[in-house]
Amino acid sequence: MMEKGCVACHVVPRVRAPIARVGPSLNNMGRQAYVNGLLANTPANLIRWLMDPPAVNPRTAMPNVGLTQTEAEDIAAFLYALPDG
């Protein structure tokens, strides 16, 4: 998440980085009803979103950072495994 720049915009629990306030905090991801307010919060939808946010919502400020399927799956698993998730 550091390498792909997630922490430039998001607070990512358990990842040490300066506090970012551009995008929402990623804590409690597993308890959110929606991904980006559009998709039901399921692992498949979160992975879809992570892989290409503008394809899901062309008006999003979140860029496509070029995640592979495996990277998106790993990030989704990490977010859902957090204690608050």
Side-chain angles (χ1 to χ4, degrees):
M1 294 183 83
M2 293 285 289
E3 181 181 306
K4 293 296 183 175
C6 303
V7 297
C9 297
H10 299 280
V11 171
V12 182
R14 296 193 178 171
V15 176
R16 294 185 65 141
I19 294 176
R21 300 201 191 277
V22 176
S25 172
L26 299 180
N27 66 340
N28 296 319
M29 193 64 219
R31 293 178 34 195
Q32 301 301 315
Y34 295 96
V35 174
N36 190 41
L38 297 173
L39 303 172
N41 187 2
T42 66
N45 280 340
L46 180 55
I47 292 165
R48 176 180 164 208
W49 170 254
L50 290 170
M51 290 188 66
D52 192 358
V56 175
N57 179 1
R59 297 182 62 179
T60 187
M62 186 165 159
N64 180 340
V65 296
L67 294 176
T68 66
Q69 178 80 27
T70 301
E71 289 170 330
E73 289 170 357
D74 289 346
I75 290 171
F78 170 78
L79 293 173
Y80 285 132
L82 291 170
D84 293 333

